[in-house]
Amino acid sequence: MLKEFKNFIARGNVMDMAVGIIVGAAFTAIVKSLVDDLIQPFIGLFTGGIDFSNLFYTLGDGEFATLDAAREAGASTFAYGAFIMAIINFLIIAFVVFMLVRSINKIKEAAEAKEAAEEAPAADPGPSELDILMEIRDSLKKA
């Protein structure tokens, strides 16, 4: 059983997946910074300075200035702004991943096309014009 597990872990797919998860975690930090530091301020600018991440409704007694203050006080909150930001983050991450995969696929297709062109044998150009004329001449001589 231990040998089977070792073979499973040593397989390329598992190692590729592990590397993908690690790179994905690092990539998530980059995209989070992109959203929080670059995109969210523009969204706030177009929406009149509204910061979505701080939009919430308190489910119970008390009024709080910020979501963090409500959470610190232990109040039950309906943090719909955080949900909106999660959707925006998801859409941005999905778009960036789509663009990345699209670019990689184009590079891959170009490499495969180049490889196929190198592997394909040169097409037989067929008889030359001179060969055809000589064939016609020989046919006319026989007739």
Side-chain angles (χ1 to χ4, degrees):
M1 186 166 160
L2 186 60
K3 185 177 179 183
E4 223 178 310
F5 180 71
K6 184 179 174 183
N7 289 339
F8 171 75
I9 293 297
R11 257 194 244 159
N13 294 343
V14 174
M15 298 306 265
D16 291 344
M17 185 178 68
V19 169
I21 290 170
I22 292 168
V23 171
F27 188 69
T28 300
I30 292 171
V31 173
K32 181 172 175 23
S33 176
L34 172 75
V35 172
D36 292 344
D37 302 330
L38 300 177
I39 295 174
Q40 189 174 357
F42 281 113
I43 292 172
L45 181 68
F46 290 120
T47 59
I50 296 174
D51 180 12
F52 289 118
S53 61
N54 208 26
L55 297 176
F56 69 99
Y57 179 75
T58 306
L59 303 173
D61 295 335
E63 286 191 29
F64 303 96
T66 65
L67 180 60
D68 290 334
R71 287 182 175 164
E72 282 180 24
S76 201
T77 59
F78 184 73
Y80 63 92
F83 181 70
I84 292 170
M85 285 311 302
I87 291 172
I88 292 170
N89 287 347
F90 170 77
L91 292 174
I92 291 168
I93 291 169
F95 181 73
V96 170
V97 168
F98 166 74
M99 294 303 289
L100 183 66
V101 169
R102 184 174 175 230
S103 299
I104 289 171
N105 285 342
K106 283 186 179 183
I107 291 168
K108 200 178 202 182
E109 288 171 4
E112 288 174 357
K114 182 179 178 186
E115 187 177 297
E118 289 174 358
E119 289 179 3
D124 185 22
S128 68
E129 203 176 310
L130 180 61
D131 292 335
I132 293 172
L133 289 173
M134 288 171 61
E135 222 176 281
I136 293 171
R137 180 197 65 194
D138 293 343
S139 296
L140 288 173
K141 280 184 182 178
K142 290 180 185 176

